[in-house]
Structure formats: structure tokens, C-alpha cells
Amino acid sequence: MLDRRSFLETSALLSALGFLPRALSAEEYERDVARRDVPAGPFRGRPCVVSSANGIAGVKLAYDRITAGTDTLDAIIAGVNLVELDPNDQSVGLGGLPNEEGVVQLDASCMHGPTRRAGAVGCLEEIATPSLVAKAVMDYTTHVLLVGAGAKKFAQALGFKTQTLLTEKSRQDWLRWKSRLNKGDNWLDHDDDVKINWTHGTINMNAVNAAGDVSSVTTTSGLAWKLDGRLGDSPIHGAGQYTDNAIGAAGSTGLGEMNIKACGGFLTVEFMRNGATPEQAALKTLERMVHMTEARMLDEKGRPRYDIQVYAVAKDGRYGSATMYEGASFAVCDEKGARLEKCAFLFKGAERPR
Ligand code: GLY
């Protein structure tokens, strides 16, 4: 048996002699991937930030920081912090709708393209900015994902302050939902009489700078009234968001369970790698989600009984977004300024199952 030190020394010797594959440097990796996979075309180096519509202020903040020289991941995390700390957005951070027990549990993940690093937290309680804790997991540990009590302990050790995340508005919404429960209720059913805008929400933000460096982040309070311990797609790399610095970044908002099965973030980047535009890639990912959807979540015509939006940015600054049902918008900021644009869609809005 080799001890760890002897193993490392032996591996280094074998590698130097050419018997083991040598890890590529970041530059070699990007050159290699670019040679094999990136569709031919001039590199334009065009900064761009794209997000879900609730990130309209955040994309502007992130874009301004990126063009002033801030790292892409730091910039978009500052962008999503605006929403995490906004008590009126009941789908993210402070004021997020709670789980079925009235506890706000937050999920977030991020990826930093240039260094190929990733971090995430799930079911994090009492800390309003899970995106920053996800980045801390990336920066200060060798791990990629921390959950529950361990994630909170880690955040507190780094000095994150705990606070009550359940606002009075969200508590009232939760009580109204709870008051409708009775013995006959099925956990899979939602009560249509409780009119709440945010039963799932989330913010995903993706960015590229002039050097072609790419990052992504997604943060959420998850599905309202979820079971204690439920994780959605947001803390899952490859689902809620994904970055490959050679290609671009993508992420999503909407019913996370459907996205997890399609690995939506990863798949969108892979479609772009194979030549699709960001919008085409987002649409193809939605098609795959429908393909992967179980029967109970489809209507009689095979249309989904849920909605999801996908957002994508390519390394050259092209961007796009798509949604299942016509009507949704997304936020973008580039040299033309911050604005909302309509998402491409798979189904006409009138076709949405009621
Ligand atoms: N996409 C957010 C969630 O399902 O939790």
C-alpha cells in the first residue's frame, strides 16, 4: 500500500515520464475545447448580463460593475443580493414563502467560469443571502454543496448574521394556505383559491465580460409550502445553473423538479456547444423537459401543467431566453442598457392548462 505522500510522488514521477495523463492548465483546456467544440465565428468580447425578470435592477448593477472591471461572479451575486434582500419578492431570500411548517429554507448555487469552481447551499435557514454563502463554500472549502444545519453553521463561522426571514406578509400567506388544509388533502394538490403570485419564483443571473469570462448564479426560497428538506433545482449545478467558460452559462426558474430530471442548465450549455444560439438552446432544453415529464404533470395533449423559464448567455455576448407558455419576460443588460424582453416560447399562452 502506498501512503498519500508516496502516491503523490509516484504519480508525479509517472506523469513526468509520460505514463499518466497530465491535467490541462485552464488556458490549455479552453484552447482544447475551443478547437473541438465552439462553432466557428469571430470572438466579439461583448459584455452581457441576463436574468429572470425580477432581476431587472440587478442586471444593470451587475453590468455596470462588470464593465468597471469587477469579476463576473462577484458582479452577478451583487445583482441577485438586491432581490434576496427585498422583502417584497416572496420567491427569494428575505420574505420568501416558507415550507409547510412555516420555515423559510433557501437554496443557491453558483459557478465561476474562469477558475472552473462551484459552490452551493441547500435548505439554509435564517441567512438572507444564500448566494454569498454558496460562493463562500466555493472560496473557502474543498466542497461544492452544503445543506441544512451544516450550511448554517458554516455561514455563521464566517460571520454571516442570522435573522428571521419570515415576513408578516409571508406568514399570513402561509396561514391562509394552512387554514385550507383538512384531513382529505393530498400533498400533491395545490389550493387554487389561495391567490399567491410566488408559489415558485427564484432568480437566475448569468454574465459574460469583455474577456469572455462567464459566471452564473441562482438563488431561491424554493417551492412554497414544500416539505421540510425539499431541494429544488437551484442548488444543483447543471440544473438550476451551469457555466462552462469555453461556451457560456445558463440557468432557470420555475418548477425545479422538472428541470432536475433534464439537467437543464448543463443541457442548455451543451446545445450551445453544438451550435445552437442561446434562444434555440433554451427552447431545445424546454422540449427535453417536456419529454422527461411524468404523465400526471401533462395534460391530455401532452402539454406541461407547469411553467419553467430558461436563460442563457454565450461567451461571445449573445443571449436568449425561453419559456413553456407565451407571456413571460426576462431581463437583460448590455451596451443598449437594462430592459425586459419577451421570452421565446413552446406553447401559445391560450394553450396553458387551467
Ligand atoms: N426553481 C426553484 C425551485 O423549484 O425550487
Side-chain angles (χ1 to χ4, degrees), residues 246-258:
I247 306 299
S252 65
T253 60
L255 188 58
E257 280 77 1
M258 303 301 129

Side-chain angles (χ1 to χ4, degrees), residues 22-41 116 244-247 266 269-275:
R22 185 175 59 85
L24 297 178
S25 71
E27 293 72 31
E28 287 170 322
Y29 173 81
E30 285 189 17
R31 263 203 312 276
D32 187 49
V33 171
R35 195 184 63 244
R36 284 183 285 118
D37 296 327
V38 175
R116 287 170 283 162
D244 181 333
N245 211 50
I247 306 299
F266 176 78
V269 172
E270 291 309 291
F271 283 136
M272 290 196 286
R273 189 192 306 278
N274 290 321

Side-chain angles (χ1 to χ4, degrees), residues 107 202 220 222-223 230 232-234 253-257:
D107 302 333
T202 306
T220 190
L223 188 64
R230 177 261 188 190
D233 56 335
S234 303
T253 60
L255 188 58
E257 280 77 1

Side-chain angles (χ1 to χ4, degrees), residues 142-268:
T142 57
H143 305 322
V144 162
L145 172 58
L146 293 180
V147 298
K152 182 174 160 187
K153 209 186 305 176
F154 166 76
Q156 284 178 292
L158 288 180
F160 283 87
K161 295 277 172 289
T162 55
Q163 67 182 104
T164 302
L165 300 179
L166 188 65
T167 55
E168 186 53 21
K169 165 89 177 76
S170 289
R171 195 179 75 87
Q172 290 295 334
D173 287 339
W174 170 65
L175 286 174
R176 281 195 295 131
W177 169 76
K178 234 166 100 77
S179 72
R180 308 284 309 197
L181 288 175
N182 61 56
K183 260 175 41 187
D185 273 328
N186 179 335
W187 280 3
L188 293 175
D189 288 342
H190 262 259
D191 188 334
D192 287 335
D193 291 337
V194 179
K195 296 286 182 221
I196 292 167
N197 291 331
W198 303 96
T199 53
H200 48 271
T202 306
I203 178 166
N204 161 250
M205 194 175 289
N206 314 291
V208 61
N209 65 13
D213 283 334
V214 188
S215 292
S216 51
V217 62
T218 299
T219 174
T220 190
S221 52
L223 188 64
W225 337 132
K226 61 193 174 184
L227 300 185
D228 180 25
R230 177 261 188 190
L231 289 178
D233 56 335
S234 303
I236 310 292
H237 302 98
Q241 56 73 40
Y242 191 74
T243 289
D244 181 333
N245 211 50
I247 306 299
S252 65
T253 60
L255 188 58
E257 280 77 1
M258 303 301 129
N259 183 29
I260 289 173
K261 291 187 295 173
C263 304
F266 176 78
L267 187 62
T268 306

